Amino acid sequence: MRVHKVTFAALAVAASLSLTACQNDKDGTATSEPSNASSTSSSSGGSDAGSSDQDSGKDSAGKSSGGQGTAAGTGSNENGKVAKCRTDELEITAKDSTIDGDPDGTVAVQLTNRGGRDCSISGYAGVDLKTSAGSLSAKRTGQQADPTVLKDGASTAFGITYPLNTSGGSGVRVTGLLVTPPDETKTVTLDWPGAGTLPVTDSPDSPVKVGPVGSAGQGG
């Protein structure tokens, strides 16, 4: 009788487990172990996806930051352009460049970049001659002024032309040269290296002409 009772109890337990399993399959509810495995997989997948998204975001941010850095690098200058040359960054010198036989005298003004960086320069410099009769401003020749990026240590030049005094008279004595680089307000005073005098003229127009920066001394 004891054997029959034990067998009956075992059968009852087995039947109960079988019934529970059938109900779980029917309801579609996962058992505790699959549930835990599914949760772990989901959690791991979410973490990987988040990491991937974050990494992707970092990559995107990195590329964006790198792009901005590149722009700023060419970009200590506004809009990524090379900043203009300042008077204080330029070494300005002048020399006589008159060619024998020419009806006019020529002075070449050289501008050398000493600023420790590249800079841009374009247009006409302001040029005034100091004379015994007062200040005389040079007139632009009208030549096209092409923009130039002046590398650190590099030079460019422009020319000043003026009439030679062949009248035999004392003329107007030139005592100095004032140069203001394009787009600047600070002026540099130089010794005048050209002929000592200009012919006297009654014309209201200036007989002194200046070419654009980069005209390499060809002011007329």
Side-chain angles (χ1 to χ4, degrees):
M1 291 297 293
R2 181 177 298 175
V3 173
H4 290 292
K5 288 181 179 180
V6 171
T7 300
F8 178 78
L11 290 174
V13 170
S16 175
L17 291 175
S18 176
L19 179 59
T20 301
C22 291
Q23 290 176 346
N24 287 338
D25 291 342
K26 182 178 180 180
D27 295 339
T29 304
T31 60
S32 60
E33 288 185 359
S35 174
N36 290 339
S38 175
S39 173
T40 302
S41 175
S42 174
S43 173
S44 174
S47 175
D48 289 343
S51 174
S52 177
D53 290 341
Q54 290 174 359
D55 290 343
S56 176
K58 289 178 180 178
D59 290 343
S60 298
K63 290 177 182 177
S64 174
S65 175
Q68 292 175 355
T70 301
T74 43
S76 60
N77 308 307
E78 187 177 356
N79 297 326
K81 296 181 180 179
V82 178
K84 67 181 180 180
C85 299
R86 299 289 186 180
T87 301
D88 290 338
E89 298 175 319
L90 297 172
E91 178 185 349
I92 303 175
T93 58
K95 67 177 182 179
D96 182 19
S97 295
T98 303
I99 299 175
D100 290 342
D102 280 0
D104 294 324
T106 302
V107 167
V109 178
Q110 179 172 284
L111 304 94
T112 303
N113 181 7
R114 302 296 187 194
R117 64 177 180 88
D118 297 350
C119 63
S120 65
I121 190 166
S122 176
Y124 285 78
V127 172
D128 296 279
L129 270 60
K130 295 169 64 177
T131 76
S132 56
S135 180
L136 178 63
S137 296
K139 183 179 179 180
R140 296 178 179 182
T141 62
Q143 290 175 265
Q144 181 177 349
D146 295 323
T148 300
V149 174
L150 199 59
K151 299 290 186 180
D152 182 33
S155 300
T156 188
F158 64 88
I160 302 169
T161 59
Y162 60 95
L164 296 172
N165 183 15
T166 59
S167 65
S170 59
V172 178
R173 186 165 56 91
V174 182
T175 60
L177 172 63
L178 304 178
V179 176
T180 307
D183 301 318
E184 281 290 275
T185 57
K186 187 172 183 179
T187 300
V188 174
T189 302
L190 305 172
D191 292 333
W192 173 248
T197 62
L198 301 175
V200 176
T201 177
D202 294 330
S203 173
D205 293 333
S206 173
V208 180
K209 296 181 180 180
V210 57
V213 170
S215 59
Q218 298 176 0

